[in-house]
Amino acid sequence: MQLNFNSPKPIYLQMVDETKKALVRGELAPGDKIPSLKERAQMSNVNPNTVQRAYQEMEREGLTETLRGQGTFIKNDPALLLHIRSEMAQTAVLHFIEEMRGLGIEAQEIERILRDQLSKEKKEG
Amino acid sequence: MQLNFNSPKPIYLQMVDETKKALVRGELAPGDKIPSLKERAQMSNVNPNTVQRAYQEMEREGLTETLRGQGTFIKNDPALLLHIRSEMAQTAVLHFIEEMRGLGIEAQEIERILRDQLSKEKKEG
Amino acid sequence: MQLNFNSPKPIYLQMVDETKKALVRGELAPGDKIPSLKERAQMSNVNPNTVQRAYQEMEREGLTETLRGQGTFIKNDPALLLHIRSEMAQTAVLHFIEEMRGLGIEAQEIERILRDQLSKEKKEG
Amino acid sequence: MQLNFNSPKPIYLQMVDETKKALVRGELAPGDKIPSLKERAQMSNVNPNTVQRAYQEMEREGLTETLRGQGTFIKNDPALLLHIRSEMAQTAVLHFIEEMRGLGIEAQEIERILRDQLSKEKKEG
DNA sequence: GTGGTCTAGACCACC
DNA sequence: GTGGTCTAGACCACC
């Protein structure tokens, strides 16, 4: 859960994204309780109201549900994980292609650039 | 030159990026005069102060130079275009890979997802 | 006895209303014993403190009476049922009219909208 | 714009409803600018953050749109007014019928009670 | 302890 | 001046 306090992207949205990623990576599972507002606020060194805004957004998106006085839980919906995974991957790939096209770079070269970078990282990593 | 006024990315940085992309795509060439603050402000429906900040940033990055009383010009440096192109493509591909890894998706599947999307767009487009 | 835990209306008041409705519908009768705090708390999946507050409120409104060691009973007052029925119906109709007037909808159209909805439900139901 | 500070219904939701009603009653029109956060906060004797939450909710529901630095406007969508009017009237009538059914009161008597109240108000008013 | 609402007030980008 | 984000901290209903 690394937050970038200098990013123009609001912290509460970064928190939503990080929660989705944790779910997709299997670090969270449907039905899991997520930390309370105050716990998360302390962990992330952020104001509880900011956490609340993130949790509110997640609830609005159908990612979590809240049980009064008990806390907030990842929705226990088996399709949720796959849905979020494909949604986020789709967003990322579309954004990438759009960026490259904005540079006048087309399909073949886009693929090549990705392949080059991946194999470069493999050698180095 | 499409600006997204709801993006958290500051408008002036969006303007810098759009100028870079126009250059890379060949819509602008080294040595070209770019619009005056006021022209650009009207074209983009943006406050002249915002344009000024974009122009300052471009100057700071070595992308443009201003000739007193004559206006602002894309720097007449033959290497500039290639440099910006590879810099922006590099940024995009690194960002994309990082996003996908954040979802627990690794090299092979990243390539597959990109390939799928590109061929899907080819069919549809 | 359906409680809405996301309603802004306090749970204990929802419980009072539900008890009144059960009485008016004849599911409870004057003189009937109502469940103990603990029973009701378990049935409704609610904290006993919340039930207690509901029971206090019902006592305060003259709806119930408690006999030491024997439990809580719907008051054995023949007029009670009719009184509550007309009071709740009155509250509902006044609230409805006020809502509709707030939308600039006047008597004739209010009646029409109600009639339409009732006949629609009749056909469907 | 009368707010009830003692209602359990959150103030920000009351503000959303009041704005919808003003629109339906014709006191606001599509395209109109609504008061700025600070103006509205002063007018309503409420904290600007509370107003902002109301405005945010209206934006989320597609009722308004925000132009950076210029303010918040009722969306200029001709269908909006009728849509909200019928949505709110529908909600009210369904709620009313449900309340009455909860009291064991059925169609004919529901209609009669409404008619009686309306003609009573006519005589008195 | 748990989330929900609200106040008070700061700082920011943009007009 | 305009809305957007964030902090700090209060009070509430419910557990």
Side-chain angles (χ1 to χ4, degrees):
Chain A
M1 184 64 126
Q2 57 249 13
L3 298 173
N4 178 358
F5 291 93
N6 295 315
S7 166
K9 185 168 186 170
I11 294 171
Y12 78 93
L13 288 180
Q14 293 185 46
M15 296 184 103
V16 172
D17 273 11
E18 287 304 325
T19 303
K20 287 180 179 172
K21 284 178 190 168
L23 177 63
V24 166
R25 283 196 304 261
E27 296 160 15
L28 278 176
D32 278 5
K33 184 176 187 312
I34 62 177
S36 80
L37 291 183
K38 285 162 192 172
E39 279 169 5
R40 163 63 84 233
Q42 274 197 323
M43 285 162 57
S44 298
N45 216 3
V46 142
N47 187 284
N49 285 337
T50 302
V51 183
Q52 210 225 351
R53 195 157 175 199
Y55 281 21
Q56 183 186 302
E57 176 64 20
M58 293 194 289
E59 185 119 19
R60 212 182 58 64
E61 290 187 25
L63 176 62
T64 56
E65 58 194 339
T66 295
L67 299 183
R68 271 223 211 181
Q70 294 184 51
T72 300
F73 300 79
I74 302 292
K75 241 191 193 157
N76 207 332
D77 170 355
L80 188 64
L81 197 147
L82 284 173
H83 176 249
I84 289 175
R85 182 182 146 112
S86 72
E87 185 185 70
M88 293 189 86
Q90 186 69 0
T91 301
V93 76
L94 288 177
H95 179 248
F96 174 53
I97 293 173
E98 193 195 336
E99 277 293 297
M100 297 304 262
R101 292 244 165 84
L103 297 171
I105 301 174
E106 290 303 330
Q108 277 209 334
E109 195 180 356
I110 298 177
E111 278 192 59
R112 190 190 54 70
I113 288 173
L114 175 67
R115 219 179 307 117
D116 287 359
Q117 184 60 35
L118 286 169
S119 62
K120 192 173 141 203
E121 288 185 12
K122 197 176 174 187
K123 275 178 208 148
E124 286 171 0
Chain B
M1 182 64 126
Q2 58 248 12
L3 298 173
N4 179 357
F5 291 94
N6 293 314
S7 164
K9 187 168 184 172
I11 300 295
Y12 81 94
L13 288 181
Q14 292 186 45
M15 297 184 98
V16 172
D17 272 11
E18 289 302 327
T19 303
K20 287 180 180 171
K21 284 178 192 170
L23 176 62
V24 167
R25 283 195 305 264
E27 296 161 15
L28 278 175
D32 277 4
K33 185 177 188 307
I34 62 177
S36 76
L37 283 187
K38 283 177 189 172
E39 282 168 358
R40 163 59 83 235
Q42 274 196 320
M43 285 164 56
S44 299
N45 214 6
V46 141
N47 190 288
N49 292 332
T50 304
V51 183
Q52 197 191 11
R53 220 173 144 184
Y55 281 23
Q56 268 172 12
E57 176 64 20
M58 293 193 289
E59 194 111 14
R60 212 187 54 71
E61 291 188 24
L63 176 62
T64 56
E65 58 195 342
T66 297
L67 299 182
R68 283 246 198 158
Q70 295 184 50
T72 300
F73 300 81
I74 303 292
K75 244 192 194 155
N76 207 330
D77 170 355
L80 187 64
L81 195 147
L82 284 173
H83 175 248
I84 289 175
R85 181 182 144 114
S86 71
E87 184 186 69
M88 292 187 88
Q90 186 69 2
T91 300
V93 76
L94 288 177
H95 180 248
F96 174 53
I97 293 173
E98 192 194 337
E99 277 292 299
M100 298 303 263
R101 292 246 164 85
L103 297 171
I105 301 175
E106 290 303 333
Q108 276 208 333
E109 196 180 356
I110 299 177
E111 278 192 60
R112 187 189 57 69
I113 288 173
L114 175 67
R115 220 179 307 116
D116 287 358
Q117 183 60 35
L118 286 170
S119 62
K120 191 173 141 203
E121 289 185 11
K122 199 176 172 187
K123 275 179 209 149
E124 287 171 359
Chain C
M1 183 62 127
Q2 58 247 12
L3 298 172
N4 179 356
F5 290 96
N6 293 314
S7 165
K9 187 168 184 171
I11 301 295
Y12 81 95
L13 287 181
Q14 292 186 47
M15 297 185 98
V16 172
D17 273 10
E18 288 303 327
T19 303
K20 287 179 180 173
K21 285 179 191 168
L23 177 62
V24 167
R25 283 196 305 262
E27 296 162 13
L28 279 175
D32 277 6
K33 185 175 187 311
I34 63 176
S36 76
L37 284 186
K38 285 178 188 170
E39 282 166 1
R40 164 59 86 233
Q42 275 196 322
M43 285 163 57
S44 299
N45 214 5
V46 142
N47 190 289
N49 292 332
T50 304
V51 184
Q52 198 193 9
R53 222 173 143 180
Y55 280 23
Q56 267 171 13
E57 176 63 19
M58 294 194 288
E59 195 112 12
R60 209 186 57 71
E61 291 188 26
L63 176 63
T64 55
E65 57 194 344
T66 297
L67 299 182
R68 283 245 198 160
Q70 295 185 50
T72 299
F73 299 81
I74 304 292
K75 243 193 194 154
N76 207 332
D77 170 354
L80 187 63
L81 195 147
L82 285 173
H83 176 249
I84 289 174
R85 181 182 143 113
S86 71
E87 185 185 69
M88 292 187 87
Q90 186 69 359
T91 300
V93 76
L94 288 177
H95 180 248
F96 174 52
I97 293 172
E98 193 195 337
E99 278 291 298
M100 297 303 261
R101 291 246 164 84
L103 297 171
I105 301 174
E106 291 303 333
Q108 277 209 333
E109 196 180 357
I110 299 177
E111 279 192 58
R112 188 188 57 69
I113 288 172
L114 175 66
R115 219 179 307 117
D116 287 359
Q117 183 61 35
L118 286 169
S119 62
K120 192 173 140 203
E121 289 187 10
K122 199 177 172 187
K123 275 179 208 148
E124 287 170 0
Chain D
M1 185 64 125
Q2 58 250 12
L3 297 173
N4 178 357
F5 291 94
N6 295 313
S7 165
K9 186 168 185 169
I11 294 171
Y12 78 93
L13 288 180
Q14 292 185 48
M15 296 184 103
V16 172
D17 273 10
E18 288 304 326
T19 302
K20 287 180 179 173
K21 284 178 190 168
L23 177 62
V24 167
R25 284 195 305 262
E27 296 160 16
L28 279 176
D32 278 4
K33 184 180 187 310
I34 62 176
S36 80
L37 290 183
K38 284 163 193 171
E39 278 170 5
R40 163 62 85 236
Q42 274 196 324
M43 285 163 55
S44 299
N45 218 3
V46 140
N47 188 285
N49 284 337
T50 303
V51 183
Q52 209 226 350
R53 193 156 177 201
Y55 282 21
Q56 183 185 302
E57 176 64 20
M58 294 194 287
E59 186 120 17
R60 214 184 56 66
E61 291 188 25
L63 176 62
T64 56
E65 58 193 340
T66 294
L67 299 183
R68 273 223 211 182
Q70 294 185 49
T72 301
F73 300 79
I74 303 291
K75 240 189 194 158
N76 208 332
D77 170 356
L80 187 64
L81 198 147
L82 285 173
H83 176 251
I84 288 175
R85 183 184 143 109
S86 71
E87 185 185 70
M88 293 188 87
Q90 186 69 1
T91 300
V93 75
L94 288 176
H95 179 248
F96 174 52
I97 293 173
E98 195 194 336
E99 277 292 297
M100 298 304 263
R101 292 245 164 84
L103 297 171
I105 300 175
E106 290 303 332
Q108 277 209 332
E109 196 180 355
I110 298 178
E111 277 192 60
R112 188 188 57 69
I113 288 173
L114 175 67
R115 220 180 306 117
D116 287 359
Q117 183 59 34
L118 286 170
S119 61
K120 192 171 140 203
E121 288 185 11
K122 200 177 172 186
K123 276 178 209 149
E124 287 170 359

mmCIF file with all atom_site columns, all heavy atoms in Angstrom, chain C residues 10-11 47 50, chain F residues 12-15:
data_model
loop_
_atom_site.group_PDB
_atom_site.id
_atom_site.type_symbol
_atom_site.label_atom_id
_atom_site.label_alt_id
_atom_site.label_comp_id
_atom_site.label_asym_id
_atom_site.label_entity_id
_atom_site.label_seq_id
_atom_site.pdbx_PDB_ins_code
_atom_site.Cartn_x
_atom_site.Cartn_y
_atom_site.Cartn_z
_atom_site.occupancy
_atom_site.B_iso_or_equiv
_atom_site.pdbx_formal_charge
_atom_site.auth_seq_id
_atom_site.auth_comp_id
_atom_site.auth_asym_id
_atom_site.auth_atom_id
_atom_site.pdbx_PDB_model_num
ATOM 1   N N     . PRO C 1 10 ? -33.112 5.782  12.798 1.00 0.00 ? 10 PRO C N     1
ATOM 2   C CA    . PRO C 1 10 ? -32.475 4.913  13.796 1.00 0.00 ? 10 PRO C CA    1
ATOM 3   C C     . PRO C 1 10 ? -33.164 3.545  13.877 1.00 0.00 ? 10 PRO C C     1
ATOM 4   O O     . PRO C 1 10 ? -34.384 3.455  13.774 1.00 0.00 ? 10 PRO C O     1
ATOM 5   C CB    . PRO C 1 10 ? -32.642 5.686  15.109 1.00 0.00 ? 10 PRO C CB    1
ATOM 6   C CG    . PRO C 1 10 ? -32.756 7.116  14.697 1.00 0.00 ? 10 PRO C CG    1
ATOM 7   C CD    . PRO C 1 10 ? -33.471 7.081  13.371 1.00 0.00 ? 10 PRO C CD    1
ATOM 8   N N     . ILE C 1 11 ? -32.359 2.535  14.087 1.00 0.00 ? 11 ILE C N     1
ATOM 9   C CA    . ILE C 1 11 ? -32.874 1.167  14.164 1.00 0.00 ? 11 ILE C CA    1
ATOM 10  C C     . ILE C 1 11 ? -33.964 1.054  15.220 1.00 0.00 ? 11 ILE C C     1
ATOM 11  O O     . ILE C 1 11 ? -34.999 0.423  15.001 1.00 0.00 ? 11 ILE C O     1
ATOM 12  C CB    . ILE C 1 11 ? -31.723 0.199  14.508 1.00 0.00 ? 11 ILE C CB    1
ATOM 13  C CG1   . ILE C 1 11 ? -30.618 0.259  13.458 1.00 0.00 ? 11 ILE C CG1   1
ATOM 14  C CG2   . ILE C 1 11 ? -32.251 -1.228 14.640 1.00 0.00 ? 11 ILE C CG2   1
ATOM 15  C CD1   . ILE C 1 11 ? -31.033 -0.206 12.112 1.00 0.00 ? 11 ILE C CD1   1
ATOM 16  N N     . ASN C 1 47 ? -28.106 -5.524 18.477 1.00 0.00 ? 47 ASN C N     1
ATOM 17  C CA    . ASN C 1 47 ? -27.589 -5.498 19.837 1.00 0.00 ? 47 ASN C CA    1
ATOM 18  C C     . ASN C 1 47 ? -28.721 -5.307 20.854 1.00 0.00 ? 47 ASN C C     1
ATOM 19  O O     . ASN C 1 47 ? -29.618 -4.513 20.625 1.00 0.00 ? 47 ASN C O     1
ATOM 20  C CB    . ASN C 1 47 ? -26.584 -4.350 19.921 1.00 0.00 ? 47 ASN C CB    1
ATOM 21  C CG    . ASN C 1 47 ? -25.811 -4.385 21.223 1.00 0.00 ? 47 ASN C CG    1
ATOM 22  O OD1   . ASN C 1 47 ? -26.369 -4.098 22.270 1.00 0.00 ? 47 ASN C OD1   1
ATOM 23  N ND2   . ASN C 1 47 ? -24.555 -4.747 21.161 1.00 0.00 ? 47 ASN C ND2   1
ATOM 24  N N     . THR C 1 50 ? -29.967 -1.887 21.628 1.00 0.00 ? 50 THR C N     1
ATOM 25  C CA    . THR C 1 50 ? -30.837 -1.253 20.637 1.00 0.00 ? 50 THR C CA    1
ATOM 26  C C     . THR C 1 50 ? -32.287 -1.673 20.876 1.00 0.00 ? 50 THR C C     1
ATOM 27  O O     . THR C 1 50 ? -33.205 -0.849 20.832 1.00 0.00 ? 50 THR C O     1
ATOM 28  C CB    . THR C 1 50 ? -30.390 -1.644 19.218 1.00 0.00 ? 50 THR C CB    1
ATOM 29  O OG1   . THR C 1 50 ? -29.022 -1.288 19.061 1.00 0.00 ? 50 THR C OG1   1
ATOM 30  C CG2   . THR C 1 50 ? -31.228 -0.930 18.177 1.00 0.00 ? 50 THR C CG2   1
ATOM 31  P P     . DC  F 2 12 ? -23.939 13.739 20.695 1.00 0.00 ? 12 DC  F P     1
ATOM 32  O OP1   . DC  F 2 12 ? -25.078 14.538 21.154 1.00 0.00 ? 12 DC  F OP1   1
ATOM 33  O OP2   . DC  F 2 12 ? -23.076 13.003 21.655 1.00 0.00 ? 12 DC  F OP2   1
ATOM 34  O "O5'" . DC  F 2 12 ? -24.456 12.673 19.624 1.00 0.00 ? 12 DC  F "O5'" 1
ATOM 35  C "C5'" . DC  F 2 12 ? -24.865 13.123 18.327 1.00 0.00 ? 12 DC  F "C5'" 1
ATOM 36  C "C4'" . DC  F 2 12 ? -25.114 11.914 17.455 1.00 0.00 ? 12 DC  F "C4'" 1
ATOM 37  O "O4'" . DC  F 2 12 ? -23.861 11.502 16.854 1.00 0.00 ? 12 DC  F "O4'" 1
ATOM 38  C "C3'" . DC  F 2 12 ? -25.626 10.722 18.252 1.00 0.00 ? 12 DC  F "C3'" 1
ATOM 39  O "O3'" . DC  F 2 12 ? -26.898 10.301 17.779 1.00 0.00 ? 12 DC  F "O3'" 1
ATOM 40  C "C2'" . DC  F 2 12 ? -24.589 9.629  18.045 1.00 0.00 ? 12 DC  F "C2'" 1
ATOM 41  C "C1'" . DC  F 2 12 ? -23.791 10.088 16.844 1.00 0.00 ? 12 DC  F "C1'" 1
ATOM 42  N N1    . DC  F 2 12 ? -22.367 9.681  16.975 1.00 0.00 ? 12 DC  F N1    1
ATOM 43  C C2    . DC  F 2 12 ? -21.807 8.865  15.996 1.00 0.00 ? 12 DC  F C2    1
ATOM 44  O O2    . DC  F 2 12 ? -22.500 8.518  15.034 1.00 0.00 ? 12 DC  F O2    1
ATOM 45  N N3    . DC  F 2 12 ? -20.512 8.466  16.132 1.00 0.00 ? 12 DC  F N3    1
ATOM 46  C C4    . DC  F 2 12 ? -19.811 8.874  17.197 1.00 0.00 ? 12 DC  F C4    1
ATOM 47  N N4    . DC  F 2 12 ? -18.550 8.462  17.291 1.00 0.00 ? 12 DC  F N4    1
ATOM 48  C C5    . DC  F 2 12 ? -20.367 9.708  18.198 1.00 0.00 ? 12 DC  F C5    1
ATOM 49  C C6    . DC  F 2 12 ? -21.634 10.094 18.061 1.00 0.00 ? 12 DC  F C6    1
ATOM 50  P P     . DA  F 2 13 ? -27.708 9.191  18.604 1.00 0.00 ? 13 DA  F P     1
ATOM 51  O OP1   . DA  F 2 13 ? -29.115 9.631  18.617 1.00 0.00 ? 13 DA  F OP1   1
ATOM 52  O OP2   . DA  F 2 13 ? -27.001 8.828  19.854 1.00 0.00 ? 13 DA  F OP2   1
ATOM 53  O "O5'" . DA  F 2 13 ? -27.564 7.957  17.616 1.00 0.00 ? 13 DA  F "O5'" 1
ATOM 54  C "C5'" . DA  F 2 13 ? -27.991 8.046  16.273 1.00 0.00 ? 13 DA  F "C5'" 1
ATOM 55  C "C4'" . DA  F 2 13 ? -27.746 6.707  15.632 1.00 0.00 ? 13 DA  F "C4'" 1
ATOM 56  O "O4'" . DA  F 2 13 ? -26.325 6.471  15.555 1.00 0.00 ? 13 DA  F "O4'" 1
ATOM 57  C "C3'" . DA  F 2 13 ? -28.314 5.535  16.426 1.00 0.00 ? 13 DA  F "C3'" 1
ATOM 58  O "O3'" . DA  F 2 13 ? -28.761 4.555  15.505 1.00 0.00 ? 13 DA  F "O3'" 1
ATOM 59  C "C2'" . DA  F 2 13 ? -27.122 5.054  17.250 1.00 0.00 ? 13 DA  F "C2'" 1
ATOM 60  C "C1'" . DA  F 2 13 ? -25.972 5.299  16.282 1.00 0.00 ? 13 DA  F "C1'" 1
ATOM 61  N N9    . DA  F 2 13 ? -24.687 5.571  16.934 1.00 0.00 ? 13 DA  F N9    1
ATOM 62  C C8    . DA  F 2 13 ? -24.456 6.354  18.029 1.00 0.00 ? 13 DA  F C8    1
ATOM 63  N N7    . DA  F 2 13 ? -23.196 6.407  18.384 1.00 0.00 ? 13 DA  F N7    1
ATOM 64  C C5    . DA  F 2 13 ? -22.559 5.608  17.456 1.00 0.00 ? 13 DA  F C5    1
ATOM 65  C C6    . DA  F 2 13 ? -21.213 5.244  17.281 1.00 0.00 ? 13 DA  F C6    1
ATOM 66  N N6    . DA  F 2 13 ? -20.225 5.667  18.073 1.00 0.00 ? 13 DA  F N6    1
ATOM 67  N N1    . DA  F 2 13 ? -20.914 4.415  16.265 1.00 0.00 ? 13 DA  F N1    1
ATOM 68  C C2    . DA  F 2 13 ? -21.895 3.996  15.462 1.00 0.00 ? 13 DA  F C2    1
ATOM 69  N N3    . DA  F 2 13 ? -23.200 4.272  15.524 1.00 0.00 ? 13 DA  F N3    1
ATOM 70  C C4    . DA  F 2 13 ? -23.464 5.087  16.556 1.00 0.00 ? 13 DA  F C4    1
ATOM 71  P P     . DC  F 2 14 ? -29.485 3.249  15.964 1.00 0.00 ? 14 DC  F P     1
ATOM 72  O OP1   . DC  F 2 14 ? -30.392 2.868  14.874 1.00 0.00 ? 14 DC  F OP1   1
ATOM 73  O OP2   . DC  F 2 14 ? -29.981 3.465  17.336 1.00 0.00 ? 14 DC  F OP2   1
ATOM 74  O "O5'" . DC  F 2 14 ? -28.310 2.194  16.004 1.00 0.00 ? 14 DC  F "O5'" 1
ATOM 75  C "C5'" . DC  F 2 14 ? -27.628 1.850  14.790 1.00 0.00 ? 14 DC  F "C5'" 1
ATOM 76  C "C4'" . DC  F 2 14 ? -26.458 0.954  15.133 1.00 0.00 ? 14 DC  F "C4'" 1
ATOM 77  O "O4'" . DC  F 2 14 ? -25.451 1.715  15.831 1.00 0.00 ? 14 DC  F "O4'" 1
ATOM 78  C "C3'" . DC  F 2 14 ? -26.794 -0.240 16.035 1.00 0.00 ? 14 DC  F "C3'" 1
ATOM 79  O "O3'" . DC  F 2 14 ? -26.373 -1.431 15.397 1.00 0.00 ? 14 DC  F "O3'" 1
ATOM 80  C "C2'" . DC  F 2 14 ? -26.025 0.054  17.313 1.00 0.00 ? 14 DC  F "C2'" 1
ATOM 81  C "C1'" . DC  F 2 14 ? -24.843 0.854  16.753 1.00 0.00 ? 14 DC  F "C1'" 1
ATOM 82  N N1    . DC  F 2 14 ? -24.096 1.643  17.751 1.00 0.00 ? 14 DC  F N1    1
ATOM 83  C C2    . DC  F 2 14 ? -22.702 1.526  17.809 1.00 0.00 ? 14 DC  F C2    1
ATOM 84  O O2    . DC  F 2 14 ? -22.126 0.771  17.011 1.00 0.00 ? 14 DC  F O2    1
ATOM 85  N N3    . DC  F 2 14 ? -22.012 2.225  18.751 1.00 0.00 ? 14 DC  F N3    1
ATOM 86  C C4    . DC  F 2 14 ? -22.662 3.019  19.596 1.00 0.00 ? 14 DC  F C4    1
ATOM 87  N N4    . DC  F 2 14 ? -21.939 3.690  20.494 1.00 0.00 ? 14 DC  F N4    1
ATOM 88  C C5    . DC  F 2 14 ? -24.082 3.161  19.557 1.00 0.00 ? 14 DC  F C5    1
ATOM 89  C C6    . DC  F 2 14 ? -24.761 2.456  18.622 1.00 0.00 ? 14 DC  F C6    1
ATOM 90  P P     . DC  F 2 15 ? -26.318 -2.829 16.068 1.00 0.00 ? 15 DC  F P     1
ATOM 91  O OP1   . DC  F 2 15 ? -26.583 -3.797 15.003 1.00 0.00 ? 15 DC  F OP1   1
ATOM 92  O OP2   . DC  F 2 15 ? -27.160 -2.797 17.295 1.00 0.00 ? 15 DC  F OP2   1
ATOM 93  O "O5'" . DC  F 2 15 ? -24.793 -2.979 16.520 1.00 0.00 ? 15 DC  F "O5'" 1
ATOM 94  C "C5'" . DC  F 2 15 ? -23.792 -3.104 15.526 1.00 0.00 ? 15 DC  F "C5'" 1
ATOM 95  C "C4'" . DC  F 2 15 ? -22.515 -3.648 16.135 1.00 0.00 ? 15 DC  F "C4'" 1
ATOM 96  O "O4'" . DC  F 2 15 ? -21.962 -2.663 17.039 1.00 0.00 ? 15 DC  F "O4'" 1
ATOM 97  C "C3'" . DC  F 2 15 ? -22.680 -4.933 16.953 1.00 0.00 ? 15 DC  F "C3'" 1
ATOM 98  O "O3'" . DC  F 2 15 ? -21.654 -5.847 16.601 1.00 0.00 ? 15 DC  F "O3'" 1
ATOM 99  C "C2'" . DC  F 2 15 ? -22.536 -4.489 18.399 1.00 0.00 ? 15 DC  F "C2'" 1
ATOM 100 C "C1'" . DC  F 2 15 ? -21.640 -3.262 18.281 1.00 0.00 ? 15 DC  F "C1'" 1
ATOM 101 N N1    . DC  F 2 15 ? -21.891 -2.224 19.305 1.00 0.00 ? 15 DC  F N1    1
ATOM 102 C C2    . DC  F 2 15 ? -20.802 -1.715 20.036 1.00 0.00 ? 15 DC  F C2    1
ATOM 103 O O2    . DC  F 2 15 ? -19.677 -2.171 19.828 1.00 0.00 ? 15 DC  F O2    1
ATOM 104 N N3    . DC  F 2 15 ? -21.026 -0.747 20.949 1.00 0.00 ? 15 DC  F N3    1
ATOM 105 C C4    . DC  F 2 15 ? -22.262 -0.271 21.132 1.00 0.00 ? 15 DC  F C4    1
ATOM 106 N N4    . DC  F 2 15 ? -22.430 0.680  22.037 1.00 0.00 ? 15 DC  F N4    1
ATOM 107 C C5    . DC  F 2 15 ? -23.375 -0.775 20.402 1.00 0.00 ? 15 DC  F C5    1
ATOM 108 C C6    . DC  F 2 15 ? -23.141 -1.747 19.492 1.00 0.00 ? 15 DC  F C6    1
#
